[in-house]
């Protein structure tokens, strides 16, 4: 069995320049394989991908890198590898294998029949640079590249669902008017659909089934770019990034390095399995049985130098050559597992990503779990990493939804407000002081699960159209239908659902941490109760731009909340406050009950008392004015009169936003300490403390 990769092995010069390098009409081709006994380069006729034009043997060199320099490759050439090895291994000398470092791909006759293509990487960025949005100002918008622009009426039909469509001025106007700073794209590395989905007439829409880590997904390019070939596809991708950067918007990629589309040993062999299965995938060295910590058949073995370096080189390529601003790592725990398959935050790959001069200024977001043993690691990554905070998601959903559902049936909620307040204040019980609250990527919904509207409209999932008899998707959603399942004409229930969405958005955008919005939630998008719509490329998953008035109002609330977050630094501390210390960049917090009194220890966890006043005061650097806010949270359906607290140095409280309003009101009221503020059931109300 391979031993753990070390930093020197990972960064060794012998692993430099893998793939194709063109210099003065000559191409040097380098590919890694420890266990192959022979590797050959194969070139193909561009018009007939089954027509082999040349076969050239590679020579094994230092560090198990096979190499050849030839004039057989130039921009536009279609090529592949064939590898042979020991009897009983998974080598097949007849199998066509794409280059793991391909910058372009061309598809043949089958769903998994591809050739690598040498591309022209030249591009004029024309002065466009990365926006470098500070973490405390970052608002992430997670969306599907195709789904966002597919039905936008102001995007030309030829650009619908494409890279060019996302970079169109109409989409940029939507992002900017909402206040979004950072677009996080679901996977755009070239991917394929699993055979079982194709047999059912479905497709892998989300894209978590990567074929190659360096190539943009060609079907997301315009028809014109696809006709011109892989170089044009890459160019269109870069044009999208350039347009977004010129508008001040960042681009983050959701990257799937934990596994590939080759699935389990019985799946398709397209690249890594045929080049060196034993080193690229985690497996029992004696039996060859795969050790799967991803749930999809295989797991990339980042305990070996070549697999770990493949990930690092891919990240560097996208960050440097394509100017990507950051990455969200799917099932990131798998990347940090050592040769014994145990997760360690000091894994050489994770550390190399943090230390890399190209990557150190990018946003690095871990999905801090996988499905392997001891795979849930929320809060367990090192300083420099952000993490999806599922504990935040669950607590916020509980407080506003499942607790309210429970209280209707049991007359009292199952929990008080203490746990919710911890999440509101930045999850200090999850992230260390060195990392601070911004390490927490706060979210209520994501691509995986109910949309915001469905979260308040369905108590159970409705996934029958996925073809798995409703067995797939999470069973525990902490959702609440408010009295009727799905679509209803009951005006009272619909009003409660709208307010619940405003409470959820208010919590998300007023919490300490880095907020992430799921595309379409700001206008109440529905998937009709499907909480696992990964296999639907249809109007079910595409954003709709035809809005009813309540959807326009909801969008206005989200834009208002984002603007309030931007203009009130007390809502977005970079550090946790410490009692008795001046900590610049933190927010000092005080907590009051509905009577304006300091919260007693008994009230924090008393389910009878779910009303809280949260006072947050920025601790600025010297000379900067101090920003202060007061947020009222009421987590019961019964009305309440809240008495505003006496706070030293505060003479008035100016209303900024309330979840009780169907649309944000332009005229705001001003209150004094001791004044009463009525709330009619579950609600939030934000004030400037002046």
């Amino acid at each position: 069995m391979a031993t753990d990769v070390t930093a020197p092995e990972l960064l060794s010069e012998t692993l430099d320049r893998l793939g194709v390098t063109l210099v003065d009409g000559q191409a040097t081709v380098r590919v890694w394989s420890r266990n192959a006994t022979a590797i050959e380069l194969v070139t193909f006729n561009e018009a007939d991908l089954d027509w082999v034009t040349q076969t050239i043997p590679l020579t094994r060199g230092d560090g198990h890198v096979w190499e050849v320099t030839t004039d057989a490759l130039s921009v536009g050439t279609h090529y592949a590898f064939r590898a042979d090895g020991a009897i009983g291994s998974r080598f097949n000398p007849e199998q066509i294998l794409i280059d793991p470092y391909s910058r372009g791909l061309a598809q043949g006759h089958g769903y998994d029949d591809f050739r690598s293509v040498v591309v022209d990487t030249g591009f004029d960025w024309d002065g466009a640079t990365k926006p470098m949005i500070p973490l405390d100002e970052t608002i992430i918008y997670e969306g599907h590249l195709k789904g966002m622009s597919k039905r936008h009426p102001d995007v030309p039909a030829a650009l619908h669902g494409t890279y060019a469509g996302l970079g169109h001025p109409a989409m940029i106007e939507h992002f900017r008017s909402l206040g979004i700073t950072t677009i996080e794209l679901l996977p755009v590395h070239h991917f394929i659909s699993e055979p079982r989905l194709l047999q059912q007439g479905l497709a892998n829409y989300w894209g978590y089934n990567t074929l190659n880590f360096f190539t943009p997904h060609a079907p997301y390019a315009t028809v014109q770019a696809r006709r011109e070939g892989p170089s044009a596809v890459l160019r269109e991708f870069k044009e999208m990034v350039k347009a977004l950067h010129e508008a001040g918007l960042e681009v983050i990629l959701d990257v799937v390095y934990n596994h590939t589309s080759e699935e389990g040993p019985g799946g398709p062999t397209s690249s890594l399995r045929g080049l060196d299965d034993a080193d690229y995938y985690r497996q029992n060295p004696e039996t060859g049985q795969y050790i799967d910590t991803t749930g999809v058949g295989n797991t990339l073995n980042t305990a070996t130098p070549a697999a770990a370096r493949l990930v690092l080189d891919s990240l560097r390529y996208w960050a440097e050559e394509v100017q990507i601003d950051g990455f969200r790592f799917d099932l990131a725990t798998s990347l940090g597992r050592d040769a014994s398959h145990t997760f360690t935050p000091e894994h050489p790959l994770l550390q190399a990503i943090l230390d890399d001069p190209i990557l150190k200024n990018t946003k690095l977001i871990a999905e801090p779990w996988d499905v392997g043993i001891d795979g849930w690691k929320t809060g367990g990554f090192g300083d420099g990493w952000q993490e999806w905070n599922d504990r935040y998601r669950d607590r916020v959903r509980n407080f506003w939804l499942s607790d309210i559902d429970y209280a209707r049936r049991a007359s009292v909620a199952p929990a008080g407000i203490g746990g919710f307040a911890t999440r509101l204040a930045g999850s200090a019980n999850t992230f260390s002081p060195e990392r601070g609250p911004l390490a927490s990527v706060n979210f209520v919904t994501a691509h995986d699960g109910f949309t915001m509207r469905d979260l308040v409209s369905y108590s159970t999932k409705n996934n029958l159209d996925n073809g798995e008899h409703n067995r797939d998707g999470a069973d525990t959603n902490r959702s609440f239908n408010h009295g009727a399942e799905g679509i209803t004409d009951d005006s009272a229930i619909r009003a409660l659902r709208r307010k619940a969405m405003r409470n959820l958005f208010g919590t998300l955008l007023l919490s300490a941490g880095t907020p992430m919005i799921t595309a379409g939630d700001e206008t109440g998008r529905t998937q009709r109760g499907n909480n696992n719509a990964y296999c639907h490329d249809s109007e079910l998953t595409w954003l709709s731009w035809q809005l009813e008035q309540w959807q326009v109002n909801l969008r206005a609330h989200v834009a208002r909340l984002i603007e309030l977050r931007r203009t009130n630094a007390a809502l977005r501390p970079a550090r946790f406050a410490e009692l008795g210390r001046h900590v610049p960049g933190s927010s000092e917090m005080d907590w009051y009950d509905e009577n304006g009194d300091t919260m007693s220890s008994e009230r924090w966890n008393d389910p009878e008392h779910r009303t809280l006043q949260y006072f947050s005061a920025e601790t600025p650097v010297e000379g900067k004015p101090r920003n202060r806010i007061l947020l009222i949270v009421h987590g019961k359906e019964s009305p309440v009169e809240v008495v505003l607290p006496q706070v030293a140095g505060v003479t008035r409280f100016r209303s900024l936003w309330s979840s009780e309003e169907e649309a944000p009101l332009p005229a705001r009221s001003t209150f004094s300490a001791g004044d009463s503020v009525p709330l009619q059931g579950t609600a939030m109300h934000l004030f400037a403390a002046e």
Side-chain angles (χ1 to χ4, degrees):
M1 180 175 182
T3 58
D4 282 328
V5 60
T6 64
E9 289 175 323
L10 173 58
L11 301 176
S12 170
E13 291 183 1
T14 61
L15 293 177
D16 289 351
R17 301 179 308 283
L18 292 174
V20 174
T21 303
L22 295 177
V23 179
D24 297 331
Q26 293 282 302
T28 298
V29 184
R30 288 164 55 83
V31 62
W32 184 92
S33 178
R34 183 197 310 272
N35 295 301
T37 56
I39 296 180
E40 59 186 14
L41 172 70
V42 184
T43 63
F44 301 87
N45 181 278
E46 184 177 348
D48 183 354
L49 296 187
D50 292 326
W51 181 358
V52 175
T53 56
Q54 290 192 65
T55 300
I56 305 168
L58 276 67
T59 302
R60 183 195 293 268
D62 294 340
H64 311 292
V65 173
W66 299 70
E67 180 177 325
V68 67
T69 298
T70 175
D71 59 4
L73 298 184
S74 59
V75 170
T77 303
H78 295 59
Y79 72 100
F81 297 121
R82 289 196 290 229
D84 200 359
I87 296 175
S89 67
R90 294 193 173 104
F91 289 103
N92 177 355
E94 302 302 317
Q95 180 71 50
I96 295 298
L97 305 170
I98 61 175
D99 182 355
Y101 282 72
S102 292
R103 269 50 168 180
L105 293 172
Q107 188 166 11
H109 301 297
Y111 83 98
D112 63 343
D113 182 29
F114 286 86
R115 307 292 183 268
S116 297
V117 182
V118 181
V119 301
D120 178 3
T121 60
F123 185 77
D124 183 3
W125 290 95
D126 197 27
T129 58
K130 297 182 180 183
M132 302 293 290
I133 306 294
L135 271 187
D136 70 308
E137 298 177 14
T138 298
I139 307 288
I140 299 173
Y141 188 81
E142 186 211 33
H144 191 282
L145 185 132
K146 179 177 182 178
M148 282 190 280
S149 70
K150 177 64 178 176
R151 296 199 292 180
H152 198 298
D154 297 327
V155 173
L159 307 186
H160 279 169
T162 67
Y163 300 123
L166 190 71
H168 188 272
M171 293 301 303
I172 289 173
E173 168 60 22
H174 171 68
F175 300 139
R176 295 194 63 178
S177 64
L178 195 58
I180 297 302
T181 69
T182 305
I183 316 301
E184 181 179 308
L185 299 175
L186 266 65
V188 293
H189 290 171
H190 202 112
F191 63 88
I192 59 175
S193 293
E194 297 86 339
R196 64 175 182 81
L197 289 177
L198 297 174
Q199 290 168 4
Q200 298 177 67
L202 299 170
N204 189 321
Y205 175 64
W206 287 351
Y208 292 89
N209 199 44
T210 308
L211 177 69
N212 179 268
F213 296 141
F214 289 82
T215 307
H217 191 58
Y220 290 162
T222 57
V223 171
Q224 181 63 35
R226 281 181 276 152
R227 284 174 180 163
E228 293 178 19
S231 293
V233 171
L234 177 59
R235 187 164 56 250
E236 184 178 311
F237 193 106
K238 291 179 178 179
E239 289 284 3
M240 174 195 72
V241 175
K242 177 182 176 181
L244 292 169
H245 281 178
E246 288 175 336
L249 296 164
E250 293 182 313
V251 182
I252 287 178
L253 302 187
D254 190 336
V255 286
V256 189
Y257 293 118
N258 56 79
H259 74 281
T260 76
S261 61
E262 291 184 304
E263 302 184 23
T269 295
S270 56
S271 183
L272 302 182
R273 177 175 293 129
L275 286 170
D276 200 327
D277 178 76
D279 274 276
Y280 275 116
Y281 293 121
R282 293 187 180 274
Q283 55 193 271
N284 183 309
E286 297 176 358
T287 66
Q289 181 179 1
Y290 276 23
I291 296 171
D292 181 12
T293 66
T294 65
V296 292
N298 68 61
T299 303
L300 195 70
N301 188 7
T302 55
T304 63
R309 181 61 176 267
L310 178 64
V311 174
L312 184 64
D313 286 345
S314 172
L315 291 168
R316 288 169 57 91
Y317 169 75
W318 289 98
E320 184 174 37
E321 178 68 30
V322 194
Q323 292 294 291
I324 293 302
D325 302 279
F327 304 91
R328 179 267 187 189
F329 294 80
D330 182 63
L331 301 183
T333 300
S334 288
L335 301 181
R337 290 183 180 270
D338 59 20
S340 67
H341 316 297
T342 302
F343 173 79
T344 170
E346 291 80 31
H347 190 286
L349 173 59
L350 301 183
Q351 195 58 50
I353 293 170
L354 290 174
D355 294 341
D356 189 89
I358 293 172
L359 300 174
K360 66 180 180 182
N361 292 320
T362 62
K363 290 179 167 69
L364 302 172
I365 303 171
E367 183 184 35
W369 53 78
D370 64 15
V371 300
I373 296 174
D374 195 27
W376 232 259
K377 294 297 179 183
T378 306
F381 281 69
D383 190 14
W385 288 91
Q386 294 181 279
E387 299 175 35
W388 272 25
N389 189 348
D390 57 314
R391 296 175 184 174
Y392 176 95
R393 174 201 63 198
D394 293 349
R395 178 62 70 176
V396 171
R397 288 187 180 190
N398 282 347
F399 185 80
W400 290 118
L401 300 174
S402 57
D403 285 3
I404 303 302
D405 181 22
Y406 185 96
R408 282 193 182 184
R409 292 178 280 108
S411 300
V412 65
I417 203 168
F420 175 86
T422 299
R423 299 302 166 193
L424 186 70
S427 298
N429 62 343
T430 302
F431 298 96
S432 66
E434 295 77 20
R435 301 180 69 190
L438 295 174
S440 174
V441 174
N442 297 334
F443 67 107
V444 177
T445 65
H447 67 276
D448 186 2
F450 280 141
T451 66
M452 185 81 79
R453 179 177 174 181
D454 289 353
L455 197 62
V456 304
S457 305
Y458 293 85
S459 291
T460 58
K461 65 186 181 183
N462 182 23
N463 297 355
L464 286 172
D465 289 343
N466 294 3
E468 299 182 44
H469 306 287
N470 215 37
R471 292 191 297 262
D472 63 306
D475 293 317
T476 302
N477 296 284
R478 297 173 169 83
S479 60
F480 177 35
N481 66 20
H482 290 85
E485 189 72 359
I487 298 172
T488 179
D489 293 328
D490 189 308
S491 60
I493 291 175
R494 292 171 70 171
L496 286 172
R497 290 174 175 178
R498 292 194 299 271
K499 187 167 69 167
M501 285 190 279
R502 296 193 294 269
N503 286 330
L504 291 167
F505 266 120
T507 303
L508 176 63
L509 291 165
L510 301 178
S511 293
T514 304
M516 184 186 80
I517 297 170
T518 304
D521 274 354
E522 73 277 12
T523 52
R525 182 176 76 90
T526 180
Q527 291 178 167
R528 301 194 290 273
N530 192 319
N531 75 349
N532 190 34
Y534 76 101
C535 53
H536 295 281
D537 184 357
S538 67
E539 71 282 351
L540 181 72
T541 51
W542 304 334
L543 268 61
S544 172
W545 298 90
Q546 296 180 346
L547 308 179
E548 299 177 21
Q549 187 57 50
W550 73 266
Q551 294 173 296
V552 175
N553 293 342
L554 179 61
R555 187 190 186 283
H557 272 285
V558 176
R560 174 66 174 157
L561 285 163
I562 291 174
E563 174 63 14
L564 289 171
R565 182 180 183 87
R566 186 185 69 81
T567 55
N568 288 275
L571 293 169
R572 42 186 177 82
R575 302 178 66 185
F576 293 119
E578 297 180 33
L579 188 63
R581 284 193 59 204
H582 179 84
V583 182
S586 69
S587 288
E588 296 174 358
M589 300 170 185
D590 294 299
W591 310 87
Y592 304 92
D593 62 21
E594 66 269 28
N595 302 312
D597 299 326
T598 299
M599 281 285 286
S600 64
S601 57
E602 294 79 18
R603 284 205 163 201
W604 280 113
N605 298 307
D606 185 348
E608 293 282 357
H609 296 281
R610 287 168 55 92
T611 307
L612 177 72
Q613 298 189 72
Y614 161 57
F615 180 82
S616 180
E618 177 195 16
T619 306
V621 294
E622 276 192 42
K624 183 181 176 184
R626 194 178 202 201
N627 177 250
R628 297 174 293 183
I629 60 94
L630 178 74
L631 177 64
I632 299 175
V633 178
H634 179 52
K636 298 175 70 174
E637 291 196 293
S638 56
V640 67
E641 292 277 339
V642 178
V643 178
L644 298 177
Q646 298 280 350
V647 180
V650 175
T651 59
R652 65 174 186 169
F653 295 96
R654 179 167 50 87
S655 175
L656 297 175
W657 174 82
S658 171
S659 68
E660 293 196 301
E661 300 163 3
E662 282 289 343
L665 298 177
R668 313 304 307 182
S669 302
T670 300
F671 301 82
S672 300
D675 287 352
S676 291
V677 176
L679 297 177
Q680 301 302 315
T682 54
M684 303 181 79
H685 200 143
L686 179 69
F687 301 85
E690 300 173 337

